[in-house]
Amino acid sequence: MTLLEARGLTVCHGQLEALRDVSLSVSAGEVVAIIGANGAGKSTLLRTIAGLHTPVVGSVLMDGRDITHLGPEKRVAAGIVLVPEGRRLFASLNVEENLLAGLYRGRPGAWDMAKVFELFPWMRDRRRQPASQLSGGEQQAVALSRALLANPRVLLLDEPSLGLSPLALRRIYAVLPALVSSGLGILLVEQDVRQALKVADRLQCLLEGRQTLEGVPSELDVEEIETAYFGIAQTTRNAGA
Amino acid sequence: MNVLNAIIQGLLLGGLFALFACGLSLMFGVMEVINLAHGDIAVAAVYLALSVMAVTHIPGIWVFVIVVPIFVVGGYFGQRLFLQRSLDSGPITTLLVTFGLSVVLQNVLLEVYSANSQSVNIGSLVSGSVQISSQIELPYLSMIFLGTAVVALGAVNLFLSRTATGRMVRAVADDREAAQLVGADYRHLFGIAAALAAGTVALAGLALGMYTSISPSSGPSYLLYGFAAVVIGGLGSLWGTLIGGMVLGLATTLGSLVDPDFGAMLPYLVFLAVLAVRPRGLFPKRALV
């Protein structure tokens, strides 16, 4: 069942075209990964779906309903929640208050504070600590939990691995399978291609705002991905090899 | 008047400064609006109180029950209908809009109420006091001010720290976009912050109107005191503003010990000293509460 659909999105930041004609879909219980180099438009794509940018052309649909012009705060109620790049916790709020913010306008559902504390037991003991004092991995866990408390149907993850230690990274990714099996659709932006290949059901690659590749990770070979990722012509590669 | 008495009076007066300045601090802390009409809003509250008293014959000390809610509602819709539009087009526009509001308010008040100084009549309360010792006496009015300031600031603080809406006001002050991503309508939260600001400054204005006489052009001079309190305490921090108000109050009364004119000047000298030594204020932590 397709939950989220983006059709032919073109997004501009002033004169700069950040995305051109990008389409995608996310179904329940599916992980779709967007990979691409810095500046490829990955974050812009997620932010457009979350409602922080309005596309010049194209549309965003949730359950077949056009939400292209719905404000970001209203998309939370529709079930689209973004965990933004850099975590973006509320610095002057403590851990518990950051989590409670997720409940502010969230949908009713399975996720509540007790379930979050079950998932990340350390949070219960440290809930009075200012969010700004946490390590990067801990902050990412709080940001993820804050999003889950809104009971999303489609979770948008923007570079969850950014600035995390390998151990913290594993801990975050270890949570995903259970979320997916509960029927959550995940749209993941990841610079770490190996990590993306590991968890994704489908993969899309962006290069300079355009879609260069789409497929199932097991069916794509490394060379294909490299070409789509860096935009290096096949001949140059062969000449080098 | 000895030093101890001056300190007590200073703290009592400081509460009033803090109450006056807390709205400035809120508006800046939450939506980075520097409200140049803040003092004029306080003055407008005094004139509205005079009209309400003339019509209803309600005693001066209770007139806040009618005036403050009007300003709370006015603050919310003023933000949603006027200030938000200017916020959408940049910080300079907002500064100009609040400056314009200041000019408009002053002239409307001048037109309606004339340039005469007026004050809110509270009868014998204005001069009554409790004699603690031969040296120290506590005027009823000052005690009422400090009590009101503590209750009002305490209520604002409780609202911001304990309620879901208050928590989101702080969240939106930290990171507006991230607040939107958890479903917060920042315009509504800005409106709530503006409502709190207008309510507290109206209350402070009424207190000023009982304490001294006010004319339509009084606003900007109070605004200066408010700015001083906010900057001394640290921009956008409510607790800092409370301390800033106290510092100003103490500077006023202690300066007056030397000479009444010096009492008017010392607060600004302290303000300059703080700016020179700690340009970001005494409590530069960027958090509302």
Side-chain angles (χ1 to χ4, degrees):
Chain A
M1 181 183 65
T2 302
L3 288 176
L4 174 74
E5 209 184 337
R7 288 183 189 159
L9 293 180
T10 297
V11 180
C12 295
H13 299 318
Q15 294 287 314
L16 186 82
E17 199 177 66
L19 285 180
R20 178 159 191 91
D21 195 21
V22 175
S23 300
L24 60 82
S25 70
V26 182
S27 301
E30 181 187 38
V31 181
V32 179
I34 310 286
I35 60 167
N38 259 336
K42 309 183 298 292
S43 287
T44 302
L45 178 59
L46 284 204
R47 289 168 59 85
T48 305
I49 291 169
L52 294 170
H53 299 308
T54 309
V56 196
V57 183
S59 52
V60 180
L61 292 92
M62 183 73 179
D63 303 317
R65 184 168 70 102
D66 190 328
I67 56 165
T68 314
H69 296 285
L70 208 60
E73 67 275 1
K74 301 216 170 75
R75 296 192 192 192
V76 175
I80 300 175
V81 179
L82 168 66
V83 181
E85 185 180 351
R87 298 161 308 249
R88 305 280 287 268
L89 294 184
F90 303 115
S92 68
L93 273 57
N94 65 29
V95 170
E96 185 175 37
E97 289 173 325
N98 265 283
L99 294 173
L100 287 170
L103 293 172
Y104 177 62
R105 286 287 181 267
R107 300 167 60 249
W111 284 97
D112 54 22
M113 293 293 271
K115 207 170 161 196
V116 164
F117 290 147
E118 200 178 301
L119 185 65
F120 299 108
W122 60 267
M123 272 184 210
R124 188 193 295 276
D125 305 323
R126 299 173 62 185
R127 62 186 187 276
R128 302 265 180 254
Q129 228 175 50
S132 48
Q133 283 178 8
L134 301 180
S135 73
E138 290 160 353
Q139 287 190 16
Q140 190 60 265
V142 173
L144 177 64
S145 305
R146 180 176 71 183
L148 290 175
L149 282 166
N151 282 297
R153 294 161 66 213
V154 176
L155 185 65
L156 314 178
L157 291 174
D158 197 348
E159 305 257 14
S161 67
L162 198 73
L164 296 196
S165 69
L167 178 66
L169 177 78
R170 271 204 300 281
R171 283 196 182 138
I172 292 294
Y173 272 97
V175 174
L176 295 193
L179 299 179
V180 173
S181 64
S182 73
L184 185 67
I186 295 180
L187 182 59
L188 170 73
V189 155
E190 188 54 88
Q191 256 187 336
D192 185 340
V193 177
R194 256 184 309 171
Q195 192 64 54
L197 287 171
K198 236 186 286 177
V199 295
D201 297 307
R202 281 189 298 121
L203 192 79
Q204 261 173 259
C205 187
L206 291 184
L207 176 68
E208 289 169 4
R210 289 154 204 260
Q211 208 164 303
T212 47
L213 182 73
E214 181 173 3
V216 178
S218 57
E219 293 166 9
L220 297 170
D221 64 51
V222 180
E223 217 163 276
E224 249 181 312
I225 294 173
E226 273 181 20
T227 310
Y229 192 97
F230 295 110
I232 307 165
Q234 207 67 34
T235 49
T236 327
R237 266 187 51 81
N238 289 342
Chain B
M1 200 157 89
N2 64 7
V3 174
L4 182 62
N5 199 23
I7 289 175
I8 292 171
Q9 306 292 340
L11 292 177
L12 293 174
L13 188 62
L16 180 57
F17 289 154
L19 183 61
F20 177 81
C22 110
L24 268 180
S25 195
L26 255 179
M27 294 288 282
F28 184 81
V30 173
M31 57 195 114
E32 296 192 349
V33 166
I34 295 170
N35 182 10
L36 294 177
H38 196 69
D40 305 292
I41 294 172
V43 171
V46 175
Y47 282 100
L48 180 66
L50 292 173
S51 293
V52 168
M53 285 162 71
V55 174
T56 62
H57 303 290
I58 197 170
I61 199 80
W62 292 111
V63 74
F64 75 90
V65 176
I66 296 175
V67 172
V68 170
I70 292 175
F71 274 74
V72 166
V73 173
Y76 182 86
F77 288 103
Q79 159 64 29
R80 294 301 301 263
L81 299 176
F82 300 107
L83 221 44
Q84 188 58 50
R85 285 166 191 272
S86 66
L87 267 175
D88 293 338
S89 45
I92 296 296
T93 318
T94 317
L95 207 59
L96 289 175
V97 165
T98 63
F99 181 68
L101 180 63
S102 164
V103 174
V104 168
L105 273 177
Q106 285 181 39
N107 285 289
V108 167
L109 292 176
L110 194 63
E111 188 66 34
V112 177
Y113 294 99
S114 86
N116 294 338
S117 294
Q118 302 196 51
S119 59
V120 178
N121 183 7
I122 49 168
S124 60
L125 259 180
V126 73
S127 55
S129 64
V130 188
Q131 195 77 28
I132 301 286
S133 72
S134 60
Q135 300 287 319
I136 303 168
E137 59 173 334
L138 298 176
Y140 287 136
L141 201 55
S142 302
M143 288 194 292
I144 292 172
F145 290 166
L146 185 67
T148 308
V150 167
V151 169
L153 291 175
V156 168
N157 183 45
L158 269 182
F159 171 75
L160 290 176
S161 57
R162 295 290 154 82
T163 68
T165 309
R167 191 188 305 128
M168 290 315 295
V169 171
R170 284 153 59 214
V172 91
D174 277 351
D175 189 333
R176 183 167 113 185
E177 220 171 63
Q180 284 182 285
L181 291 175
V182 294
D185 180 353
Y186 71 90
R187 297 172 204 87
H188 172 63
L189 296 169
F190 282 6
I192 285 172
L196 289 175
T200 50
V201 79
L203 200 54
L206 293 179
L208 280 170
M210 295 170 193
Y211 184 68
T212 176
S213 56
I214 295 252
S215 76
S217 56
S218 302
S221 60
Y222 292 120
L223 179 70
L224 270 184
Y225 264 88
F227 273 141
V230 168
V231 173
I232 288 175
L235 279 176
S237 150
L238 282 187
W239 289 121
T241 302
L242 182 63
I243 304 292
M246 293 295 178
V247 169
L248 281 186
L250 284 174
T252 306
T253 52
L254 289 173
S256 302
L257 276 184
V258 182
D259 180 277
D261 285 340
F262 190 59
M265 194 171 78
L266 188 58
Y268 295 108
L269 291 179
V270 171
F271 170 54
L272 282 178
V274 169
L275 268 188
V277 180
R278 297 188 63 124
R280 297 181 59 217
L282 296 176
F283 302 94
K285 194 178 134 227
R286 185 69 177 77
L288 274 183
V289 291

